[in-house]
Every structure is written in structure tokens, then in C-alpha cells.
């Protein structure tokens, strides 16, 4: 009952967005912004194996860099949150580097690593690493000391405290950081794929633009939006599965 | 038997130092219940942490069964008021945590916990999360977890303060029954004078911060249900109240 109402409200928002898009395209009356129906048709007409290949490449670039960032930033964030000495070393570094636009390093990475996956994933990684690190650290800092003491009194050592208390206490914040990072990751992905190389959805979209094939361009945009949506749903599903107590 | 001699504790050092306890001397014979009562911030929780070995004394020492306490002791269980249970573990996961940390096999965990949970009226709630329990049920899970390790010393920090009067009295009775059955040495912190007098064979009244001992009352009638309605009970409550004022 509740589920079906939820599904309905999602459907309604999708229809609303498409309606808005349709109105805008009628109002602008410009081939650069076809209506949603035309765009969906072009998606069905688009050269599928080609589009799928780019979609696959973009997806693993985003997922790979997100996974790598989580793998490194989460343990570091947990440690920094629990050990003020480590944090007093990390905090100024993070603070100084935070406002530096990491995408500006894209050209540097291209010179050093070439125009392959490495460059793109490195820059995405650099952009989202800080977000995940800071969110995780702040969550780890906020754990009430009595929670740790009560588990320590049961005989938990350092490792058990991380496993039983610190990591689970921070999981919801980590997943939220993942969700926020996903948005940044896709933006940076698009930028990096349009700047160099000949693969990925960013390239596909730009290629459509240059060939004035607006149908293909919109097919690429829709594919990218779909990728973001699916990854977002995937993260929500992950939260549902690994943080069951959060559902209450 | 718990012996506390010349105990003192201060949080922090230098200018930011907060003295929390000074000159604490007392002794709890094995199997007895000692209640700590005193104004807010006088160091009761700190004293429990010290007894549990979670903090180390700045002055003096604590001995349990003749041995000096320098780290959490295997057979000392502590129940903290608000943070006893982990929100991400089910009733079973929380109750079994101590056993799991000591590498009991799932079979052994079952054998110990099933009767404990049944005795505390928690059967059927195993899969629930703490957020799905009443205050009294939560405290019973915390008690189950503490008892699962078969402690000889039980430390409790305002265990029943968030509960309504009836639930509270029910749990006080449960606690007395458990103590009689297991001969637990108990130190319990409370703000509630009636609770102190009902449970404590020994009642220690502390001064405002830094906590010092203001008075020690012996209260041999503690623990029996009839005592609650006797004149001695009210007399003892009055004495505790006078000491607190
Ligand atoms: N981690 C800490 N750092 C510094 N000071 C602390 C810390 N914990 C407690 N204190 C201080 O030590 C004193 C004793 O605190 P404690 O928590 O032991 O009091 P309490 O008697 O349990 O109070 P309550 O009845 O309100 O629970 C208080 O003045 C408190 O502000
Ligand atoms: Mg306290």
C-alpha cells in the first residue's frame, strides 16, 4: 500500500518533469532542445551497441572512483575522528585544499597520465575524497563516549570497537556522503570526458553536438541521467540493506 | 568485595582541570548492594567508570577481591543509563555482544542467552531493534547483556531513572531477585531517594563537586518488598534526604 503510493508519487514527478521539459521545448522552438517524446524516440533509434559501450565506460569510471574514494577516505576519516593527533595533522591540509578546484588539475593529470581512464578517475577521486573524509570524520567525532565505554567494558579491544561501534555509528553518514559525492562525480566525469578522449557518455554527447545530431546528443544526455538515477537508487538500496535500524 | 581507598579523580590537567572526586573511602562486602546518591555533577558516573576500570584513578586505588583494578575486569559488568544498547544491533545482537566479543560460539551464546532472556520476559523480542522497545524493555536487555557474562560485580548508572513508577518498581524487584540468586556485589547510582533506600544495604551520600563522602548509612532491611511499607523505610528516607540537603 505504502510502496505503491510511493511508486505513484515518483511516477507523478517524472511526468511533471517531462511536462515541464515539453513546455520549455515548445516555447523555445529550437532544434537544440527537442521535446521529450522526440528525445525518447531518438533514444530508441540511437545506435544501441555504441551507446551501451559508452554507458558502460562512464559507469565504471564513476563507480570505480567512488569505490576507491570510499575505500581510502572512510578508514582515514574514522581514524581522524577518533584520534585528535591524526586530525590535527589532517585538518589543516583538508582545509587548505578544500577550496582549490580539483578539476583544474585535469590538464596536469592528462599530461602525466594521458587521456585514458586513469586521468578521469583520478580527478573524480580528488574531488570527492575530501567530502567523504570530512563527513566520516565528523560522524566519528560525534559518537557519544558512553557508547564506546559500555562496549569496552564488555571486553572489546580497539579493533572490535571500530567494527562494532565506530563504523556502524558512521555508516549512515558515509552513505549520505556517497550520495552527495555521486552528483559531483558525474559532473566531473562529464567534464573530463568532453575534454579529452573518445569514450564515455560525455564524449558521446559532445560528438552528437558537433555532428548536429541532436537526437544522439539527447540520447546521451538521457543515458547519463538514467545512469545517475540508477546509481542513486543503488546507494539507497545499499543503505536499506546495511542500515536496517535506520528504517525505523 | 570492593575496597576503595583515598580515591581521587580530576578531568584534564593544568588550568582546565576539573576535580571530580576527592578522598573517597568505602568498602562493599561481597554480595551486598551499595547505592551512590548525590547532587548532579558530583562525580557518581565518574566513580562508576573508575570502579569498572574504564578510567584510572589520579589518586588512591580500587581493589576488587584484593586485586588492584587497572583495566576493565572480566567479571565486572556495567550498565550505563542512556547508551547501554547499540542502536544498530537487535535485541539478540545486543544481548550477545559480550559473549561474541569473548568468542563464545553461536551455540554457547544460545545456551546462555535463551534462559536469561526468558527470565527477563524478553522472549519474542529478539529480532527487534532498541528503537522498537519500551524503556523498561531496553533496560532488561541491558541487564541480560550484563548478566550473560556471569559477573560477580554489577555497576549500574541510574538504570531506572527514565522509567515510570510502576515499571521502575517492577525492575527494582527483578534486580533484587537476580542479586539474591547470583550473589552479585552491586554498586548502583540513583537520584531517587526511595530507590536508594529500597535497594541499598549501604547508602553513600556524596557532596557537591568535587564529590566527597558526606555520609554512609547502613540499611539492612533493603531488598524486601515489605520493607517499602515499613516505618524504618520512611525513617531511612528522611535521613538520606537530610544528608542531601
Ligand atoms: N569528560 C569529561 N571532561 C571534563 N569534565 C568532565 C568529564 N566528564 C565529567 N566531567 C565533570 O566531572 C564532574 C563529575 O561528572 P559526573 O558525570 O561523574 O557527575 P554525576 O554525578 O554522574 O552527575 P549526574 O548526576 O548529572 O549524572 C562534573 O563536574 C562534570 O562536569
Ligand atoms: Mg551521571
Amino acid at each position: 500500500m505504502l510502496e505503491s503510493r510511493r511508486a505513484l508519487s515518483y511516477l507523478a514527478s517524472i511526468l511533471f518533469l517531462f511536462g515541464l521539459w515539453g513546455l520549455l521545448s515548445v516555447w523555445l522552438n529550437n532544434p537544440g532542445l527537442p521535446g521529450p517524446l522526440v528525445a525518447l524516440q531518438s533514444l530508441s533509434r540511437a545506435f544501441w551497441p555504441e551507446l551501451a559501450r559508452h554507458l558502460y565506460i562512464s559507469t565504471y569510471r564513476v563507480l570505480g572512483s567512488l569505490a576507491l574514494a570510499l575505500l581510502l577516505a572512510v578508514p582515514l576519516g574514522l581514524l581522524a575522528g577518533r584520534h585528535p593527533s591524526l586530525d590535527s595533522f589532517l585538518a589543516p591540509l583538508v582545509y587548505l585544499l578544500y577550496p582549490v578546484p580539483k578539476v583544474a588539475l585535469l590538464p596536469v593529470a592528462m599530461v602525466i597520465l594521458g587521456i585514458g581512464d586513469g586521468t578521469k578517475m583520478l580527478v573524480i577521486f580528488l574531488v570527492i575524497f575530501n567530502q567523504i573524509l570530512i563527513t566520516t570524520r565528523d560522524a566519528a567525532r560525534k559518537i557519544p563516549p558512553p557508547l564506546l565505554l559500555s562496549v569496552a567494558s564488555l571486553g572489546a579491544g580497539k579493533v572490535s570497537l571500530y567494527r562494532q561501534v565506530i563504523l556502524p555509528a558512521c555508516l549512515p553518514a558515509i552513505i549520505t556522503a556517497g550520495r552527495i559525492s555521486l552528483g559531483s562525480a558525474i559532473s566531473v566525469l562529464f567534464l573530463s570526458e568532453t575534454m579529452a578522449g573518445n569514450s564515455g557518455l560525455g564524449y558521446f554527447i559532445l560528438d552528437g553536438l558537433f555532428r548536429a545530431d541532436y537526437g544522439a546528443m539527447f540520447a546521451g544526455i538521457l543515458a547519463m541521467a538514467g545512469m545517475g538515477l540508477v546509481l542513486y537508487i543503488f546507494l539507497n538500496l545499499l543503505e536499506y540493506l546495511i542500515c536496517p535500524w535506520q528504517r525505523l | 568485595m570492593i575496597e576503595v581507598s583515598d580515591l581521587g579523580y580530576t578531568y584534564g590537567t593544568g588550568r582546565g582541570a576539573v576535580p571530580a572526586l576527592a578522598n573517597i573511602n568505602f568498602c562493599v562486602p561481597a554480595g551486598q548492594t551499595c547505592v551512590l546518591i548525590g547532587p548532579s555533577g558530583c562525580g557518581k558516573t565518574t566513580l562508576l567508570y573508575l570502579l569498572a576500570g574504564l578510567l584510572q584513578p589520579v589518586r588512591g586505588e580500587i581493589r576488587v577481591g584484593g586485586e588492584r583494578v587497572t583495566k576493565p575486569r572480566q567479571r565486572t559488568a556495567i550498565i550505563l543509563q542512556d547508551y547501554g544498547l547499540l542502536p544498530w544491533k537487535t535485541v539478540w545482537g545486543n544481548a550477545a555482544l559480550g559473549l561474541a566479543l569473548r568468542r563464545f560460539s553461536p551455540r554457547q551464546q544460545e545456551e546462555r542467552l535463551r534462559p536469561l532472556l526468558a527470565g527477563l520476559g524478553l522472549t519474542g523480542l529478539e529480532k527487534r531493534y532498541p528503537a522498537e522497545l519500551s524503556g523498561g524493555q531496553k533496560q532488561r536487555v541491558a541487564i541480560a547483556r550484563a548478566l550473560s557474562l556471569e559477573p560477580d560485580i554489577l555497576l549500574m548508572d541510574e538504570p531506572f531513572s527514565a522509567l515510570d513508577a510502576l515499571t521502575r518498581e517492577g525492575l527494582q524487584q527483578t534486580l533484587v531477585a537476580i542479586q539474591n540468586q547470583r550473589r552479585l556485589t552491586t554498586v548502583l547510582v540513583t537520584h531517587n531517594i526511595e530507590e536508594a533506600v529500597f535497594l541499598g544495604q549501604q547508602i553513600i551520600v556524596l557532596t557537591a563537586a568535587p564529590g566527597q563522602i558526606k555520609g554512609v548509612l547502613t540499611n539492612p532491611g533493603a531488598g524486601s518488598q515489605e520493607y517499602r511499607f515499613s516505618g524504618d523505610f520512611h525513617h531511612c528516607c528522611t535521613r538520606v534526604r537530610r544528608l542531601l540537603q
Side-chain angles (χ1 to χ4, degrees):
Chain A
M1 186 57 214
L2 216 84
E3 307 286 81
S4 62
R5 263 183 54 190
R6 197 119 146 251
L8 262 179
S9 68
Y10 276 113
L11 199 66
S13 355
I14 291 175
L15 286 178
F16 175 74
L17 286 175
F18 273 59
L20 217 59
W21 174 6
L23 281 178
L24 199 65
S25 73
V26 170
W27 182 57
L28 281 177
N29 193 20
N30 184 313
L33 186 71
L37 282 180
V38 180
L40 282 175
Q41 273 169 6
S42 69
L43 188 60
S44 67
R45 263 204 322 263
F47 186 38
W48 261 107
E50 184 68 8
L51 184 59
R53 190 173 68 86
H54 292 295
L55 177 63
Y56 164 74
I57 292 171
S58 286
T59 306
Y60 85 62
R61 282 175 182 161
V62 169
L63 269 187
S65 35
L66 186 63
L68 191 66
L70 282 170
L71 218 62
L72 293 176
V74 166
L76 199 60
L78 294 178
L79 284 170
R82 300 310 312 170
H83 298 276
S85 53
L86 176 63
D87 192 37
S88 65
F89 170 74
L90 272 181
L93 275 180
V94 169
Y95 187 84
L96 287 176
L97 290 178
Y98 192 70
V100 177
K102 267 69 97 190
V103 279
L105 295 175
L106 200 56
V108 182
M110 274 161 53
V111 172
I112 298 171
L113 292 175
I115 56 169
D117 291 337
T119 300
K120 292 163 177 106
M121 290 171 72
L122 176 70
V123 175
I124 297 175
F125 170 85
L126 288 176
V127 169
I128 64 182
F129 181 82
N130 267 354
Q131 296 174 352
I132 299 171
L133 177 70
I134 294 175
T135 315
T136 309
R137 180 198 61 189
D138 291 352
R141 262 192 205 156
K142 274 199 227 102
I143 299 173
L147 208 55
L148 291 158
L149 286 175
S150 74
V151 177
S153 79
L154 295 171
K158 278 238 153 59
V159 177
S160 299
L161 281 180
Y162 272 95
R163 242 177 57 106
Q164 305 286 352
V165 186
I166 300 169
L167 179 63
C170 297
L171 265 184
I174 292 168
I175 290 179
T176 301
R179 269 194 292 251
I180 295 171
S181 301
L182 184 65
S184 327
I186 293 176
S187 308
V188 177
L189 174 83
F190 178 79
L191 196 71
S192 68
E193 286 177 346
T194 50
M195 244 179 99
N198 54 8
S199 60
L201 288 172
Y203 164 78
F204 187 85
I205 292 166
L206 211 68
D207 187 52
L209 175 69
F210 289 154
R211 292 187 289 110
D213 183 352
Y214 299 129
M217 181 178 91
F218 259 84
I221 292 174
L222 281 179
M224 202 159 199
M227 174 185 79
L229 193 63
V230 168
L231 292 180
Y232 191 74
I233 291 171
F234 169 74
L235 279 179
N236 282 340
L237 196 69
L238 199 68
E239 177 175 39
Y240 185 84
L241 292 177
I242 64 177
C243 303
W245 72 95
Q246 288 286 98
R247 291 179 226 159
L248 306 172
Chain B
M1 164 107 141
I2 305 172
E3 296 160 284
V4 176
S5 45
D6 189 31
L7 185 70
Y9 191 81
T10 304
Y11 284 100
T13 50
R15 276 164 153 239
V18 182
L21 290 166
N23 291 321
I24 304 288
N25 290 283
F26 67 93
C27 169
V28 189
Q32 271 211 7
T33 300
C34 168
V35 170
L36 301 172
I37 191 166
S40 186
C42 73
K44 304 180 293 294
T45 299
T46 307
L47 182 48
L48 277 199
Y49 286 168
L50 287 162
L51 291 172
L54 293 167
L55 291 178
Q56 299 314 312
V58 171
R59 271 190 66 121
E61 62 171 22
I62 296 169
R63 285 176 183 275
V64 169
E67 256 181 69
R68 208 171 154 157
V69 178
T70 53
K71 57 175 204 295
R73 186 177 156 271
Q74 283 264 345
R75 300 196 63 200
T76 298
I78 184 165
I79 297 179
L80 300 173
Q81 183 191 339
D82 296 319
Y83 299 102
L85 303 182
L86 300 177
W88 43 88
K89 286 196 181 285
T90 59
V91 166
W92 185 270
N94 268 293
L97 184 56
L99 295 173
L101 286 171
R102 293 189 190 169
R103 308 208 180 284
F104 280 60
S105 73
R107 267 266 308 283
Q108 292 168 310
Q109 295 178 22
E110 288 262 349
E111 278 166 16
R112 279 231 190 153
L113 281 182
R114 286 264 170 250
L116 255 178
L117 291 183
L120 287 162
L122 292 168
T123 306
L125 303 180
E126 292 87 349
K127 292 207 171 78
R128 292 211 194 167
Y129 286 93
E132 300 171 299
L133 299 177
S134 72
Q137 288 167 336
K138 276 187 218 165
Q139 276 315 339
R140 281 183 273 150
V141 176
I143 293 174
R145 181 173 79 188
L147 295 180
S148 71
L149 297 172
E150 303 191 332
D152 52 14
I153 293 182
L154 181 61
L155 309 172
M156 306 175 97
D157 193 1
E158 302 186 38
F160 310 136
S161 64
L163 308 176
D164 64 86
L166 277 180
T167 311
R168 186 180 186 124
E169 287 186 12
L171 272 183
Q172 289 168 357
Q173 238 124 248
T174 308
L175 180 63
V176 168
I178 291 168
Q179 283 166 332
N180 291 339
Q181 194 189 338
R182 300 183 176 234
R183 272 186 56 78
L184 279 169
T185 311
T186 308
V187 179
L188 181 140
V189 168
T190 182
H191 271 127
N192 181 300
I193 295 174
E194 277 81 24
E195 179 163 284
V197 175
F198 177 65
L199 291 173
Q201 275 123 13
Q202 181 179 203
I203 301 166
I204 296 180
V205 182
L206 295 170
T207 64
Q212 283 176 285
I213 291 185
K214 198 169 189 190
V216 180
L217 304 179
T218 46
N219 180 33
S224 84
Q225 192 52 18
E226 303 84 67
Y227 184 53
R228 251 195 232 282
F229 305 103
S230 70
D232 286 349
F233 182 82
H234 292 287
H235 180 64
C236 193
C237 287
T238 312
R239 282 171 63 205
V240 173
R241 192 166 282 121
R242 286 237 174 82
L243 270 172
L244 276 170
Q245 275 158 4

